Amino acid sequence: MNKITFVVTATLFSLSGCQSTEQGLPLFASSAPDATTNTPVNTNEASPSDIVDALTLAALETEIGANLDDEPHAEFDDVWDRIAYQLSIEIPQNRQVVTERNWYAKHQSYITRVGKRAEPFLHFIVEEIEKREMPIELALLPIVESAFDPFAYSHGRASGLWQFIPGTGNRFKLKQTWWYDGRRDVVAATRAALDYLSFLHKTLDGDWLNAIAAYNSGEGRVLRAIKRNRKKHLPTDFWSLDLPKETTAYVPKLLALADLLKRSEEFDITWYPIKNEPHIAIVDAHKQIDIAKAAELADMELNDLHQLNPGYNQWATDPNGPHKFIVPIEKAEAFQASVDNLTDQERMAWTRYLVRSGDTLGGIASKYKVSVETLRDINKIKGNIIRVNQPLMVPTSAKSLKQYTLTASNRLAKTQNKKRGSQKLTHIVKSGDTLWDISRAYKVNHRSLAKWNGMAPTDPLKPGKKLVIWTKNPSTDKDSGIVRKVTYKVRNGDSLARIAQKFKVKVQDIAKWNQLDTKKYLQPGQALKLFVDVTRS
């Protein structure tokens, strides 16, 4: 029996159990005996209209079945093609999208650079999105967020490929310690980002553009914008909402990238080729391990392994985990076998330290470049009290700390390398200091000041913290200075010139720091804010 004969027969066979709804649509019942009468259903009767309906349904089913059978399974050599094939969100050709697309289209080098960074991770991200049946456009979101740089740190204290701020990271269970930052762990952060986007999609009534906007600015802000529009009887789609400038450009950037990928030939853009196959695998080391030791076992350069595992802030994994490593898929099996056979002594180097008079946990931690919390955990210490001659076990790195170039401290040090034509100063933070005030005092850009110190411009400052400052207008002839913020109370007979001479600063600087009019007299008791180089005073 051919397919169409089978379908027609089966359909006719079931017609006797077919009733009509009030709307006239067929409602199929079970072929089991009628539950009320317990008598068999007569299968030999069908009206002419029933037969017509059956033939129509059979034809439709045959056509659908043929389409399903005949349509070839889509296979792609390149993961970008796999993404392009599944793009589904409507892309309006409005000014916002066209502006962003034109920028990307003019910057082939940027598209290539981003593609190279994406190569290890993109296939994994696509697989995760497909598992959840989410829009494939989300695979392009790390381009907008971080240009696929897992070490990216933005002005809003956001970190990693998916740019989680600390609070949202905690909300989606991304662990953040001195040793480890889950916001930069590509696997953990990808799953958390998709969890967050799924939540936003449900919260915002199934509107993906609003969900993507909320990923940038927070669901509260988008919900308030929707509420305002509803009060005014206005549409609540993304394009109609009053949102921050950054967010109004954020969604168009994603859509512009999707449009550019869909029409790459039209815009003469080449996407860096990435094979449509798994590139990475995860190996569990089970316990704390030195990253240099892990690299040796994985037959990889230390930096190459650390580049794939940017969540590790230090030279070893967190004592309390995780201890998982992303490695190239071809190295995973041998690496797992090697790490499974390690003894505890082979995993880490340790130093036994006897506490001396005057020692503090903070001082010992600083000396060995570990955290106070680590010393407490390892040595089962509660609080900060230690005794003279008390033995402490201290973890130490297998190699020189300078060789772990991607640790948090070494990445920060790289941003503080000598700037050509500039002089390095050190500012010690006092209570009340802000990055903005300090940047004005040293005549530097406050965003640059934040970057030199591995911070965001809005980060709070702790008293005693040392800030590195590069200035082309140094206040000292030495190679470096230590500058403190000083509050000086004006005395009888004081003038700007006298105060400037006393503290070895310039009159115009005092005036600028305190927004003073140099033509007006100072008042006794008036408080002045000064930034004083203590190496000269």
Side-chain angles (χ1 to χ4, degrees):
M1 181 183 295
N2 63 29
K3 183 171 182 179
I4 190 165
T5 304
F6 174 78
V7 171
V8 172
T9 305
T11 307
L12 287 170
F13 182 79
S14 64
L15 279 174
S16 58
C18 176
Q19 300 173 342
S20 293
T21 65
E22 291 181 3
Q23 290 79 13
L25 297 176
L27 176 65
F28 292 93
S30 168
S31 59
D34 185 278
T36 305
T37 62
N38 288 324
T39 57
V41 176
N42 186 348
T43 61
N44 297 320
E45 296 179 3
S47 68
S49 62
D50 288 336
I51 294 172
V52 171
D53 289 343
L55 291 172
T56 303
L57 288 170
L60 287 171
E61 188 169 344
T62 302
E63 184 178 350
I64 293 169
N67 288 340
L68 290 173
D69 291 343
D70 296 341
E71 184 176 352
H73 180 68
E75 294 183 1
F76 305 99
D77 295 326
D78 193 296
V79 74
W80 294 115
D81 293 335
R82 178 176 175 180
I83 296 170
Y85 180 77
Q86 299 181 72
L87 294 171
S88 60
I89 296 178
E90 182 181 351
I91 304 171
Q93 298 301 309
N94 57 29
R95 181 180 57 80
Q96 297 100 309
V97 172
V98 170
T99 298
E100 300 296 342
R101 189 189 63 213
N102 288 347
W103 187 91
Y104 288 125
K106 291 176 183 176
H107 292 82
Q108 173 67 64
S109 60
Y110 174 81
I111 297 295
T112 302
R113 186 163 64 250
V114 164
K116 288 179 179 178
R117 289 184 191 145
E119 185 172 16
F121 309 120
L122 188 59
H123 182 274
F124 161 75
I125 291 170
V126 167
E127 294 265 299
E128 289 293 309
I129 291 170
E130 289 178 351
K131 283 179 191 175
R132 299 169 185 241
E133 298 182 347
M134 298 171 77
I136 202 65
E137 283 84 352
L138 299 179
L140 305 176
L141 204 55
I143 302 178
V144 181
E145 285 288 350
S146 62
F148 262 103
D149 178 5
F151 288 103
Y153 186 75
S154 80
H155 65 276
R157 301 179 69 204
S159 189
L161 211 66
W162 294 92
Q163 290 289 282
F164 276 97
I165 60 173
T168 310
N170 288 329
R171 183 178 166 192
F172 287 89
K173 297 181 173 57
L174 292 175
K175 184 176 180 180
Q176 297 162 65
T177 67
W178 183 79
W179 290 97
Y180 168 82
D181 190 340
R183 297 176 301 158
R184 292 199 307 271
D185 181 324
V186 175
V187 170
T190 295
R191 289 170 177 161
L194 298 181
D195 287 344
Y196 187 24
L197 284 159
S198 294
F199 164 78
L200 293 171
H201 180 244
K202 292 175 184 175
T203 302
L204 295 161
D205 300 325
D207 188 316
W208 273 113
L209 293 191
N210 283 348
I212 294 165
Y215 187 87
N216 175 255
S217 63
E219 65 265 31
R221 186 167 284 167
V222 175
L223 284 168
R224 287 192 295 273
I226 290 173
K227 187 177 180 181
R228 285 194 300 269
N229 275 27
R230 281 179 177 159
K231 279 187 177 181
K232 298 175 183 178
H233 304 288
L234 296 173
T236 58
D237 62 287
F238 168 76
W239 306 105
S240 302
L241 298 180
D242 182 15
L243 294 169
K245 184 177 179 181
E246 179 183 334
T247 307
T248 58
Y250 182 82
V251 172
K253 283 179 181 178
L254 181 68
L255 297 179
L257 286 165
D259 202 23
L260 205 59
L261 181 58
K262 187 185 293 186
R263 300 193 285 162
S264 53
E265 289 186 7
E266 182 180 337
F267 290 96
D268 195 26
I269 281 289
T270 301
W271 293 79
Y272 181 79
I274 300 175
K275 287 184 179 180
N276 185 31
E277 60 187 32
H279 290 249
I280 54 175
I282 300 173
V283 170
D284 193 345
H286 309 300
K287 297 179 182 179
Q288 188 178 32
I289 185 172
D290 191 303
I291 294 175
K293 182 66 177 179
E296 176 189 329
L297 296 176
D299 190 27
M300 295 177 67
E301 294 294 326
L302 172 56
N303 276 2
D304 292 342
L305 180 63
H306 211 162
Q307 188 75 41
L308 289 175
N309 297 275
Y312 295 126
N313 288 332
Q314 309 302 331
W315 41 267
T317 62
D318 189 314
N320 299 312
H323 308 295
K324 295 179 179 179
F325 287 90
I326 292 174
V327 294
I329 195 166
E330 66 273 12
K331 295 181 178 291
E333 187 176 351
F335 179 33
Q336 186 72 71
S338 297
V339 82
D340 286 347
N341 292 324
L342 277 184
T343 64
D344 288 349
Q345 291 74 24
E346 292 172 319
R347 289 172 171 271
M348 297 279 292
W350 296 88
T351 293
R352 187 173 184 271
Y353 181 82
L354 280 179
V355 176
R356 302 169 188 172
S357 178
D359 275 346
T360 64
L361 272 180
I364 297 169
S366 178
K367 178 179 179 180
Y368 286 98
K369 302 292 189 295
V370 297
S371 68
V372 171
E373 290 76 15
T374 296
L375 289 182
R376 286 201 196 104
D377 287 347
I378 291 170
N379 295 281
K380 311 299 181 189
I381 297 171
K382 293 183 179 180
N384 293 310
I385 298 174
I386 51 177
R387 305 183 310 274
V388 175
N389 292 326
Q390 178 181 352
L392 298 179
M393 293 304 295
V394 183
T396 58
S397 57
K399 295 186 176 185
S400 164
L401 288 176
K402 290 183 178 179
Q403 292 182 260
Y404 300 80
T405 60
L406 294 177
T407 60
S409 57
N410 282 332
R411 284 186 284 109
L412 175 59
K414 187 176 180 181
T415 69
Q416 297 176 344
N417 286 344
K418 186 170 179 61
K419 313 298 178 191
R420 183 177 296 178
S422 297
Q423 185 170 312
K424 183 180 180 181
L425 299 175
T426 303
H427 175 85
I428 299 177
V429 175
K430 286 192 70 177
S431 180
D433 275 356
T434 66
L435 284 172
W436 175 254
D437 286 341
I438 296 168
S439 69
R440 289 177 63 204
Y442 290 96
K443 301 175 185 175
V444 297
N445 180 277
H446 80 289
R447 291 190 181 277
S448 298
L449 176 61
K451 184 178 179 181
W452 296 331
N453 293 280
M455 302 173 66
T458 54
D459 282 0
L461 295 175
K462 293 182 179 179
K465 181 179 178 65
K466 292 182 179 180
L467 298 179
V468 167
I469 298 167
W470 290 99
T471 176
K472 294 183 179 180
N473 301 296
S475 60
T476 173
D477 293 331
K478 298 183 179 182
D479 289 338
S480 65
I482 297 178
V483 180
R484 293 182 184 272
K485 179 183 175 183
V486 173
T487 300
Y488 177 78
K489 285 194 175 181
V490 176
R491 302 173 184 176
N492 285 325
D494 271 346
S495 66
L496 284 176
R498 182 175 295 179
I499 297 169
Q501 184 179 21
K502 179 178 180 179
F503 289 98
K504 299 181 175 61
V505 296
K506 296 177 181 179
V507 169
Q508 56 265 41
D509 285 341
I510 298 177
K512 185 175 181 180
W513 296 333
N514 296 276
Q515 297 181 326
L516 297 176
D517 184 346
T518 55
K519 295 178 181 179
K520 292 184 178 180
Y521 291 106
L522 297 174
Q523 301 297 320
Q526 182 179 352
L528 296 180
K529 178 171 58 180
L530 308 175
F531 291 89
V532 179
D533 182 354
V534 298
T535 63
R536 302 183 68 198
S537 301

